[in-house]
Amino acid sequence: MPARTVLVTGAQQGIGAAAARAFATAGYDVAVNWLDDRAAAEAVAADVTAAGRRAVLVQGDVGSAAACAALVGAAIGGLGRLDVLVNNAGIFPRVDFLDMTEAEWDRVLGVNLKGSAFCAQAAARHMVASGTRGVILNLSSSAVRGAVLGVHYAATKTGIIGLTRSMALALAPHGIRVNAIAPGLTDTAQPRHGHSEAELAEMARAVPLGRMGRPEEIAGLMTYLASDAAEWITGQVHHINGGVYLA
């Protein structure tokens, strides 16, 4: 039986890079989607091949339906099939709500929400056509509770929950499972943008478990939800945040 395959969007850094490595360790061949840092993506791909799995690099911005279809198609072309899609790509440009522009709103919704929807659509079309009982994982966030400088971001991550539940119902007849993962404060470039080390330490102390999460911990949940051990789990939001948000 051929190895299972996964496409991870936004895999050049952070949680996406950790996901690519974790899936490789779990035995998957990996399509590494990247946007603007080829060297970083190549380093992730090298880790995948070091784990004994195939890696393909897929450059692309998920901000349009056409681009989503193209990058999913490139991943399938490179790997031969697609079993799992991880909708990880996302942006969080901080802006005060009173200063937010229409262009900023459109860009965040385009990447985070529309991108997730149309990457999932392209992946699901392939899965249905090939008879693959696949898995789609969407990245939400603890920002569903609200984000003072991220009204647009919080709107997308809340929208991801509705998207996940609705897609789970729509795709269940085809044996395709869809779940959302909502990380809390995680040690990536995102929280470091605009925060000093002292501020990050204070934020970490506010977490009941006393620290930031590690990207590898988020990736571990992904590989579990993609596995046969989770084959009766679909349409759910899985919060992983050290106890900050109990749901």
Side-chain angles (χ1 to χ4, degrees), residues 27-203:
Y28 289 73
D29 292 337
V30 184
V32 177
N33 166 243
W34 61 284
L35 176 63
D36 55 9
D37 191 340
R38 184 180 182 91
E42 288 176 340
V44 174
D47 289 337
V48 171
T49 57
R53 307 313 316 169
R54 290 186 299 150
V56 297
L57 292 175
V58 181
Q59 197 279 334
D61 184 336
V62 302
S64 74
C68 290
L71 71 89
V72 170
I76 294 166
L79 297 176
R81 57 181 289 164
L82 184 62
D83 296 284
V84 179
L85 167 68
V86 177
N87 271 320
N88 168 76
I91 57 174
F92 186 176
R94 272 71 168 176
V95 62
D96 188 283
F97 176 62
L98 297 179
D99 297 324
M100 185 177 63
T101 65
E102 182 179 5
E104 289 169 327
W105 170 270
D106 288 347
R107 177 60 177 160
V108 174
L109 264 71
V111 171
N112 296 5
L113 189 55
K114 183 171 73 174
S116 294
F118 283 97
C119 282
Q121 183 190 66
R125 284 174 171 170
H126 165 77
M127 292 171 183
V128 171
S130 61
T132 301
R133 297 175 69 85
V135 175
I136 297 171
L137 300 176
N138 299 319
L139 266 290
S140 182
S141 167
S142 60
V144 296
R145 302 169 65 203
V148 173
L149 295 179
V151 170
H152 45 8
Y153 179 81
T156 64
K157 294 304 182 179
T158 304
I160 286 290
I161 294 174
L163 179 72
T164 296
R165 290 169 175 163
S166 299
M167 288 198 308
L169 294 174
L171 296 175
H174 302 286
I176 298 170
R177 298 187 293 107
V178 188
N179 285 288
I181 296 172
L185 181 67
T186 306
D187 191 3
T188 66
Q190 180 173 278
R192 293 185 178 283
H193 177 69
H195 292 106
S196 67
E197 288 299 316
E199 289 170 332
L200 286 171
E202 183 178 355
M203 292 163 66

